[in-house]
């Protein structure tokens, strides 16, 4: 992959577990969209944020009554050390997805 290439993924994810995307060493990406096949009040039941293999910090929460964030306008910058985690907030399994662009 090269700078400017699209990065995206979709996977069935069990309840209360993360879909993660960890770029290769030296690669940096900006995630711009995250979604789920399960919706509540018109928004995906997910949390999107940064994960380092031990700690997770969710930047955007979109589940239940936590309506207000716009997933079409994410700007989460990730690399091989601090990478993407999308937590499935649904009580069942969901198709979780992300899209972004490689910036380095």
């Amino acid at each position: 992959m090269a700078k400017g290439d699209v990065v995206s993924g979709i996977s069935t994810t069990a309840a209360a577990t993360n879909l993660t995307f960890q770029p290769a060493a030296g690669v940096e990406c900006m995630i711009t969209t995250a979604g789920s096949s399960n919706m509540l009040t018109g928004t995906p039941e997910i949390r999107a944020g940064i994960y380092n293999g031990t700690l997770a910090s969710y930047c955007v929460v979109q589940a239940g009554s936590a309506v207000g964030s716009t997933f079409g306008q994410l700007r989460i910058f990730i690399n091989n050390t601090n990478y993407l985690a999308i937590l499935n907030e649904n009580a069942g399994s969901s198709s979780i997805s992300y899209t972004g662009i490689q910036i380095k």
Side-chain angles (χ1 to χ4, degrees), residues 39-103:
M39 308 288 272
L40 185 62
T41 62
T43 58
E45 291 187 278
I46 58 175
R47 294 180 189 221
I50 298 171
Y51 183 60
N52 69 3
T54 304
L55 303 172
S57 176
Y58 296 101
C59 308
V60 179
V61 177
Q62 195 75 36
S65 62
V67 176
S69 300
T70 304
F71 275 83
Q73 297 178 2
L74 288 179
R75 298 293 184 265
I76 300 175
F77 294 87
I78 60 171
N79 57 34
N80 185 258
T81 303
N82 297 304
Y83 47 96
L84 178 68
I86 304 172
L87 178 65
N88 179 8
E89 289 278 294
N90 187 269
S93 64
S94 301
S95 296
I96 305 294
S97 64
Y98 62 88
T99 300
I101 188 166
Q102 183 170 328
I103 57 174

Side-chain angles (χ1 to χ4, degrees), residues 6-54:
V6 170
V7 296
S8 63
I10 186 168
S11 180
T12 300
T13 307
T17 60
N18 283 315
L19 167 64
T20 61
F21 167 57
Q22 184 176 20
V27 173
E28 296 176 1
C29 298
M30 178 178 62
I31 303 302
T32 56
T33 306
S36 171
S37 60
N38 288 308
M39 308 288 272
L40 185 62
T41 62
T43 58
E45 291 187 278
I46 58 175
R47 294 180 189 221
I50 298 171
Y51 183 60
N52 69 3
T54 304

